Amino acid sequence: MLAAVFGKILYVTKENKHKFWRVYYWLGAGVVYSFIFMTIGRTVWLVSFILGLLFLGFYQGVKKKKHYFRNGLLLMLCICMMFPVTFGMTRYLPPLFHHPVWFWGEWSEQKVHSWDLWNSEKYVDINEIVESAIGRTTVITDKIFGASPFVIMSYAAELTREERAVLKTYEEYSNPFIVRKTIYNYYLHHLNFFGHPQSEQGFQLVADYWIGHAHNIYLQYSTDFGICMGACFVLLALWSIVRLAMKEQRGNIESDTYLLLLLIPLLFGMLEYSWGSGAITIILVFFAWKRAMVMDIKMSEKRMLG
C-alpha cells in the first residue's frame, strides 16, 4: 500500500494533476505510515523508513528541485496530522460495524468481542500504543547504548522449565540480536538441496515460545525448496533491482513504482517472513520481475538497432 501511494504521488506530480489530488495522496501517505506505526513492528518501521528515503529521492527527480529535507519534513507533517485521525477511525469505527474474526489459537475471553460496549476497557487507547511503541524501541536502544542494571526482569526462572529450550534465561531471550542469531544458525545448519516439509522445521526457542519459521524470506525459501531455489531467488531479486534502478529508467514513474513494490518484501524479508509462496505480495514481485525483463529485452533491441 505504501509503495502504491508513493507511486500515485509521483504520477500526479509528474502529470501536474490538480492540487487536490496531490494533497490527497500526501495525506494518504500519512495515513499508511500511521497504520504502520500502530503495528508496533520494528522491521516494518525500518523498511518503511528506507522506502520513504527512496521515495524522496524519486520525488526530487520528478520535481527537478533539490528539496530533500523540506519534502521529508512535509511527509513528517502529514504523518503527525493523520495519526490522530487514523487512530480515531481504527478505534471508534469498528464498534459500529462489529464482527471480530479470530485466527486459530488466538481466541480469548480477554479480547474484544461483539458484546463489548464501544467504551470497553478491552479496546486499546492511544497512550497504550505510544507506550508499546516506545517499549519496542528501547529494547533495541538499551542493548546498543546500555540500560540500568536495575531493569533486569524476573522471568528467568519460568524460562528454564523446558530442557529443550535453546535460550535458558530472560536476558538471552530479551536480546533481539541473540534471538535472531539463534534462529538463523538453526536454519542455516539445516539447509540442504531438496528442502524440508513444514513438519520438519522449527525448534523450541524458550519454554513458552516455538519458532516455526526462519524470520528471513531468503533463508525460509532455501529451507522450504532447497539451496538452489534460494540462490535463484536472491539472484533474480538483485538483477531486477539493478535493472529497475538503471540510469536509462530514471524519472520513469512505472519503473520507480515497481522498484518500490519490489523492495518491500525483499527488505522486510531480511528480518521477517510474512509472505510465503503464492501470497499476493510475492505475486507482485513477479510483476516487477516481468517489468525488468521487458526492459532488458527493449534495451537489447535498441543496441542491435543502434
Side-chain angles (χ1 to χ4, degrees), residues 228-261:
C228 294
M229 189 285 172
C232 289
F233 183 78
V234 171
L235 291 174
L236 192 53
L238 292 175
W239 174 82
S240 300
I241 291 172
V242 171
R243 283 300 182 189
L244 292 171
M246 286 183 69
K247 184 177 179 179
E248 291 89 338
Q249 293 300 313
R250 288 180 187 170
N252 186 310
I253 302 299
E254 188 178 357
S255 295
D256 291 347
T257 304
Y258 273 117
L259 180 59
L260 291 173
L261 287 171

Side-chain angles (χ1 to χ4, degrees), residues 164 166 178-192 196-205 210-214 219-220 223:
R164 56 185 180 145
V166 177
I178 293 178
V179 171
R180 280 294 193 277
K181 179 183 176 183
T182 304
I183 296 171
Y184 295 159
N185 281 340
Y186 171 86
Y187 278 89
L188 283 169
H189 280 93
H190 287 78
L191 289 180
N192 61 23
H196 297 277
Q198 191 63 40
S199 59
E200 295 179 3
Q201 299 182 33
F203 66 99
Q204 196 75 35
L205 182 68
W210 173 267
I211 295 296
H213 60 78
L219 191 52
Q220 186 63 48
T223 302

Side-chain angles (χ1 to χ4, degrees), residues 36-48 133 136 268:
I36 289 173
F37 178 78
M38 289 190 290
T39 63
I40 319 293
R42 292 170 299 198
T43 303
V44 71
W45 288 351
L46 176 61
V47 172
S48 61
R136 292 280 286 172
F268 187 84

Side-chain angles (χ1 to χ4, degrees), residues 1-3 6 31-53 79 133 136-137 140 180 215 263-275 281:
M1 180 61 73
L2 184 62
F6 282 159
V31 171
V32 177
Y33 267 111
S34 298
F35 271 113
I36 289 173
F37 178 78
M38 289 190 290
T39 63
I40 319 293
R42 292 170 299 198
T43 303
V44 71
W45 288 351
L46 176 61
V47 172
S48 61
F49 176 74
I50 295 173
L51 285 181
L53 295 179
I79 297 171
R136 292 280 286 172
T137 306
I140 297 290
R180 280 294 193 277
H215 288 68
L263 286 174
I264 290 175
L266 298 183
L267 290 175
F268 187 84
M270 290 181 178
L271 295 172
E272 282 293 350
Y273 177 72
S274 294
W275 302 294
T281 305

